[in-house]
Amino acid sequence: MEQNLGNTKNVQRGNIVKKIVFVIISIFIIMVNFVIMLFYGRYYHKIFLIPIIVLIVVSIILRLKEKKKIAYIIMIIAIIMIGIITNYSFILKKEAEEERKERFNSVGFMTDSEINVFNEQFTPYEGKEVRGIIVRALISKVVSNNLSNTDYEVMQVTISGVVTLNKEDTQLPEQFDEIKMDKTYNVNIIYNKYGKVESIHIEENP
């Protein structure tokens, strides 16, 4: 009788240990999920945490109530969800990194603020009734920019219309002297897909 009682107590202790281990593993999985979220940052949406944590908590409750099979199934579902979301976040992060690389190769800048700073050299000159003296200043600005970026073509700017200036040109074009001080010009700025000034078209107003 005493032996049977002892065996029962051992079984109960073993069961309690298994429950504790299950709870510890569950908490560890939740912590791992938080670490993954921090690692992937904005690519791992916080809203994903809610269903995962709910599933894990439910599995703990069921395990404590001796509903082992259902508890294990729910825990497996939660782990699978973490794997799927992690993989999805990895893909998003990789695509974003490739986009940044392409952006840098196309414009020489990583952020919109850097592009805006670059554009501000030229955007004040844009307009439909721009005086010749202002147009001359713009052309000089473009030449200066191209000269300072002779080894970095993506940051050079071209000019078309009454004046032709290619990226490799680092001197004032011959048509520069034909820009009349008393005339007005239509200055149109063309941007690339990332919003960086790519070229400038200048036409003399009639």
Side-chain angles (χ1 to χ4, degrees), residues 20 22 27 35 45 48 55 58 61 75 88 92 104 108 123 125 133 141 147-148 167 175 197 199 201 204:
I20 294 173
F22 186 87
I27 294 173
V35 171
H45 299 291
F48 293 149
L55 286 174
V58 169
I61 294 172
M75 179 60 70
Y88 176 71
L92 288 180
F104 184 78
T123 51
Y125 297 93
I133 189 172
K141 176 75 71 173
L147 182 60
S148 61
K167 288 187 175 181
Q175 305 102 316
V197 173
S199 62
H201 186 74
E204 182 179 338

Side-chain angles (χ1 to χ4, degrees), residues 10-197:
N10 288 334
V11 171
Q12 289 176 344
R13 289 194 193 98
N15 194 28
I16 291 173
V17 171
K18 289 179 181 178
K19 289 179 180 179
I20 294 173
V21 171
F22 186 87
V23 172
I24 292 173
I25 292 175
S26 300
I27 294 173
F28 176 75
I29 292 173
I30 293 175
M31 292 175 63
V32 168
N33 196 36
F34 273 104
V35 171
I36 293 173
M37 183 190 72
L38 293 173
F39 179 78
Y40 285 107
R42 62 191 179 92
Y43 306 105
Y44 192 103
H45 299 291
K46 294 180 181 179
I47 194 172
F48 293 149
L49 286 174
I50 299 174
I52 291 173
I53 292 176
V54 169
L55 286 174
I56 293 175
V57 170
V58 169
S59 68
I60 292 174
I61 294 172
L62 291 173
R63 180 64 183 85
L64 294 176
K65 290 183 177 181
E66 298 296 341
K67 297 181 179 180
K68 300 178 184 178
K69 188 174 182 180
I70 300 177
Y72 291 143
I73 291 174
I74 293 177
M75 179 60 70
I76 291 172
I77 292 173
I79 293 173
I80 291 173
M81 285 181 63
I82 292 173
I84 293 173
I85 295 169
T86 301
N87 185 61
Y88 176 71
S89 301
F90 171 77
I91 293 173
L92 288 180
K93 186 176 182 181
K94 187 175 181 181
E95 289 178 349
E97 289 173 351
E98 290 176 353
E99 171 73 14
R100 284 195 293 270
K101 288 180 182 177
E102 181 185 348
R103 176 195 186 101
F104 184 78
N105 291 333
S106 298
V107 300
F109 302 109
M110 297 293 286
T111 65
D112 289 338
S113 59
E114 291 175 325
I115 292 176
N116 290 335
V117 170
F118 176 83
N119 289 350
E120 284 172 1
Q121 301 178 85
F122 313 108
T123 51
Y125 297 93
E126 188 173 22
K128 294 183 177 181
E129 296 290 335
V130 182
R131 290 183 299 150
I133 189 172
I134 303 300
V135 171
R136 286 191 171 209
L138 170 60
I139 297 170
S140 298
K141 176 75 71 173
V142 173
V143 171
S144 176
N145 172 77
N146 292 355
L147 182 60
S148 61
N149 292 291
T150 51
D151 296 326
Y152 211 18
E153 185 178 328
V154 294
M155 292 180 64
Q156 294 180 326
V157 176
T158 62
I159 299 178
S160 61
V162 294
V163 170
T164 300
L165 187 74
N166 299 316
K167 288 187 175 181
E168 67 272 11
D169 296 336
T170 55
Q171 295 183 344
L172 292 173
E174 295 180 359
Q175 305 102 316
F176 182 79
D177 292 333
E178 298 177 9
I179 303 295
K180 305 300 181 183
M181 300 291 191
D182 57 342
K183 294 282 187 179
T184 61
Y185 297 82
N186 180 18
V187 178
N188 183 37
I189 294 178
I190 296 93
Y191 302 86
N192 66 9
K193 67 176 183 177
Y194 296 105
K196 171 187 164 291
V197 173

